[in-house]
């Protein structure tokens, strides 16, 4: 699976998959789908750390995370799950951010709007 650009529920069938315990409603729905549709063994975790990634690597399991964890552990690659489930993410910032934060927000807005527009076409 490490060479794939995305994985499917079929790829995850029967695997031990670590998922953040009740991160949000969307993640809970994904957890349920992994159990029901992929027949995966879902293991709830409270946080992500090297010990968790090491354990998953040693036991041959997978970890469901956001893309922000890509490249963190040398034994793992990151690939999106090809499914209709989407987990929202949010950017929280002050009402009147510092100029450099404002520039970052503007760049994120542009990147998100461009990727949304590209996905719609």
């Amino acid at each position: 699976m490490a060479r794939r650009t995305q994985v499917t529920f079929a790829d995850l069938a029967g695997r031990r998959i670590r998922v953040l315990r009740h991160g949000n409603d969307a993640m809970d729905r994904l957890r349920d789908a992994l159990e029901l549709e992929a027949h995966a063994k879902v293991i709830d975790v409270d946080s992500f750390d090297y010990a968790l990634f090491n354990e998953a690597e040693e036991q041959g399991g997978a970890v469901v995370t956001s893309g922000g964890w890509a490249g963190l552990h040398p034994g793992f690659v990151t690939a999106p799950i090809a499914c209709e489930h989407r987990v929202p993410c949010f950017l929280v910032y002050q009402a009147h951010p510092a100029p450099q934060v404002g520039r970052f927000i503007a760049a994120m807005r542009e990147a998100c709007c461009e990727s949304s527009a590209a996905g719609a076409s």
Side-chain angles (χ1 to χ4, degrees):
M1 279 196 303
R3 291 185 180 90
R4 294 179 180 230
T5 57
Q6 64 181 7
V7 295
T8 66
F9 276 9
D11 295 326
L12 301 173
R15 294 192 182 270
R16 295 169 51 92
I17 303 174
R18 287 143 181 89
V19 179
L20 193 61
R21 180 187 319 270
H22 307 298
N24 57 48
D25 290 345
M27 188 60 83
D28 289 346
R29 285 190 297 274
L30 178 58
R31 174 192 294 100
D32 292 344
L34 287 166
E35 288 180 322
L36 297 172
E37 297 173 35
H39 307 290
K41 168 66 176 147
V42 173
I43 302 165
D44 285 330
V45 299
D46 293 317
S47 64
F48 299 125
D49 58 23
Y50 269 106
L52 171 74
F53 287 101
N54 286 338
E55 175 186 295
E57 181 185 24
E58 290 166 6
Q59 295 178 3
V63 180
V64 173
T65 71
S66 68
W69 291 91
L72 178 72
H73 192 283
F76 277 92
V77 296
T78 304
I81 301 172
C83 68
E84 73 279 359
H85 299 277
R86 297 291 175 252
V87 177
C89 65
F90 302 91
L91 179 62
V92 180
Y93 53 89
Q94 295 173 313
H96 304 287
Q100 65 271 25
V101 175
R103 289 190 300 275
F104 175 76
I105 294 164
M108 287 296 295
R109 183 176 290 122
E110 184 177 330
C112 290
C113 291
E114 285 177 11
S115 66
S116 295
S121 49

